[in-house]
Amino acid sequence: MENLLIDKPKDVRTEDQLDLDTLKNYLAKEFSITIDSITLKQFSGGASNLTYQITINDKTYILRCTPKGTKAKGAHDMARESKIMSILAPYYPFVPNIELYCSDTTVIGREFYIMEKISGIIPRANLPKGLELSSEKVRNLCIRVIDKLVDLHKINLENTDLQQFGKGKGYANRQITGWVERYRKAKTWNVPSCEYVIHWLQNNIPSEEYTCFIHNDYRFDNIVLSADEHLEVIGILDWEMATVGDGLMDLGNSLAYWIQADDDFVFKMFRRQPTHLRGMLTRKEVISYYCERMSLKNVDFTFYEVYGLFRLLVIIQQIYFRYHHKQTSNPAFKNFWFMVNYLNWRCKRIIKKNN
């Protein structure tokens, strides 16, 4: 039963094939081994960086690399992501070990890194078939997942090399400026200007920041669970956007994906994680639990919620921009423009509701 639950890769999509001969020669030299066999599979989950399972002889690893096509400035930085993971690992034991980073773009056409593979269950839109949990077990799983975010945010950054990933005060302002700029560059004719939401965010940046080390893409489908009855968190993936920033903004990012059972049918179409299950905390309950664990009082979460949704809107539009300009043919991206329109509406509704 365990083998049926563990997350498995599929055949590599045609557009994402890599040159295995060149890769084999490079890795044989870097690992100082003779490679008798090398095979490649692909995990279909991500819409940003590409994630492969690479088996060298009898040992299995994960290879991460950038996608083809236009890349947003500052995104898809393999060197930075692998460096973050290496530095964070001693303080946070859920980070996979980095085995190798390659900056030579002649090997597979772009930079990449190879890390250990953590085998387990990755909760995507639905739990794997055969895994049925009571509402109590669902609630306990939910709390364990939130606790790992709290643990990350509670790391004492003083006298650690993690500080190098921060730019000092003004994180929120930099984020709003950056995401607005990215949206305007990626805008296509069939999405709104979002100026109402943009101006509101610019005028409502909180005066106080809750500085800590943040994941910036903390979701259930970036979490690896043990494939047993305990469902412990054994790994956390996708550190591409991790940085020193505001913990509440990190939570806002996470809650943008937190589709709950009583949401409208359109928002439910977005669901990519099992937050709809009976026993899952609602967004309000997550905020309350997080603030209690972080000893934060009287927090108005409106800015963080709108920011998280707007940021998601921009990420979706950047992906759609690549599809719109035929830089990817992945049919999953075809209707992303509609999602952008909906998220803009949702942001405006939250703003007006809380004004």
Side-chain angles (χ1 to χ4, degrees):
M1 185 175 178
E2 180 177 320
N3 289 337
L4 295 176
L5 299 177
I6 289 177
D7 200 61
K8 292 181 178 64
K10 300 176 182 177
D11 291 335
V12 179
R13 288 192 296 263
T14 303
E15 67 185 72
D16 294 331
Q17 294 284 349
L18 303 179
D19 185 338
L20 269 184
D21 289 334
T22 308
L23 184 59
K24 176 182 175 181
N25 293 334
Y26 173 80
L27 293 178
K29 183 178 178 183
E30 288 296 314
F31 286 146
S32 300
I33 58 172
T34 299
I35 298 180
D36 298 316
S37 66
I38 181 170
T39 58
L40 208 64
K41 293 280 189 176
Q42 184 176 24
F43 288 96
S44 57
S48 180
N49 288 329
L50 304 178
T51 303
Y52 300 88
Q53 175 178 292
I54 181 168
T55 303
I56 303 167
N57 296 335
D58 294 326
K59 184 133 187 190
T60 301
Y61 303 91
I62 295 297
L63 184 152
R64 292 258 291 168
C65 67
T66 61
K68 295 176 182 177
T70 300
K71 301 172 186 64
K73 183 181 177 183
H76 314 297
D77 190 335
M78 295 290 98
R80 182 180 182 276
E81 183 173 9
S82 59
K83 185 178 181 182
I84 282 173
M85 292 168 71
S86 297
I87 293 173
L88 180 61
Y91 307 100
Y92 197 67
F94 310 101
V95 182
N97 292 321
I98 297 293
E99 303 287 346
L100 175 147
Y101 163 71
C102 176
S103 61
D104 184 353
T105 57
T106 64
V107 179
I108 63 168
R110 51 220 128 130
E111 60 175 336
F112 67 92
Y113 68 80
I114 291 178
M115 67 182 182
E116 72 165 315
K117 183 188 178 185
I118 301 176
S119 291
I121 299 168
I122 297 181
R124 302 194 189 279
N126 299 294
L127 295 177
K129 287 181 181 177
L131 182 62
E132 295 182 11
L133 303 177
S134 66
S135 59
E136 182 183 2
K137 286 189 174 181
V138 168
R139 182 178 178 83
N140 290 338
L141 170 61
C142 180
I143 288 173
R144 283 198 297 276
V145 168
I146 301 166
D147 281 342
K148 294 299 180 289
L149 181 65
V150 170
D151 292 345
L152 178 68
H153 290 178
K154 283 192 169 185
I155 293 173
N156 187 346
L157 299 182
E158 284 186 37
N159 303 316
T160 74
D161 289 337
L162 292 169
Q163 292 185 96
Q164 69 184 277
F165 299 109
K167 296 181 179 178
K169 292 182 179 179
Y171 174 79
N173 189 65
R174 287 193 300 274
Q175 288 300 299
I176 299 305
T177 301
W179 288 109
V180 168
E181 183 180 318
R182 290 179 203 113
Y183 182 71
R184 287 171 175 162
K185 283 185 177 178
K187 187 181 178 301
T188 48
W189 67 269
N190 48 356
V191 296
S193 68
C194 297
E195 289 301 319
Y196 178 88
V197 176
I198 287 169
H199 290 146
W200 186 88
L201 285 168
Q202 290 170 333
N203 293 325
N204 286 274
I205 293 173
S207 57
E208 190 173 0
E209 293 188 353
Y210 301 92
T211 303
C212 57
F213 196 81
I214 65 176
H215 183 279
N216 241 338
D217 201 17
Y218 194 82
R219 309 190 311 254
F220 275 83
D221 56 352
N222 279 330
I223 288 165
V224 186
L225 304 174
S226 61
D228 55 31
E229 69 273 16
H230 301 295
L231 294 177
E232 296 291 347
V233 176
I234 58 174
I236 295 172
L237 311 174
D238 200 354
W239 295 89
E240 176 190 354
M241 294 186 282
T243 188
V244 175
D246 188 311
L248 286 170
M249 293 177 76
D250 200 15
L251 183 61
N253 295 337
S254 296
L255 293 186
Y257 297 92
W258 200 280
I259 315 301
Q260 56 196 47
D262 61 351
D263 280 323
D264 65 64
F265 78 97
V266 178
F267 205 30
K268 285 180 180 177
M269 291 165 57
F270 286 50
R271 190 173 59 75
R272 294 175 56 186
Q273 53 183 3
T275 45
H276 66 303
L277 295 177
R278 186 183 297 274
M280 280 284 177
L281 274 64
T282 64
R283 289 184 293 272
K284 283 186 178 179
E285 288 172 334
V286 171
I287 295 163
S288 177
Y289 180 80
Y290 174 88
C291 289
E292 182 181 337
R293 289 247 19 228
M294 294 295 294
S295 302
L296 300 175
K297 295 180 179 178
N298 302 318
V299 173
D300 180 352
F301 206 77
T302 308
F303 171 84
Y304 307 105
E305 184 176 11
V306 174
Y307 161 72
L309 289 169
F310 177 73
R311 173 181 171 274
L312 174 59
L313 175 159
V314 180
I315 292 170
I316 289 172
Q317 179 59 23
Q318 287 177 316
I319 295 167
Y320 178 72
F321 181 88
R322 287 173 49 220
Y323 178 87
H324 186 79
H325 291 282
K326 297 181 171 57
Q327 293 168 356
T328 175
S329 60
N330 190 336
F333 306 150
K334 182 179 180 180
N335 294 317
F336 273 25
W337 64 271
F338 171 75
M339 297 162 73
V340 172
N341 279 270
Y342 172 83
L343 287 173
N344 178 58
W345 170 83
R346 191 170 182 88
C347 285
K348 290 198 288 188
R349 191 185 72 162
I350 292 168
I351 291 168
K352 290 171 181 175
K353 184 179 176 181
N354 290 278
N355 270 352

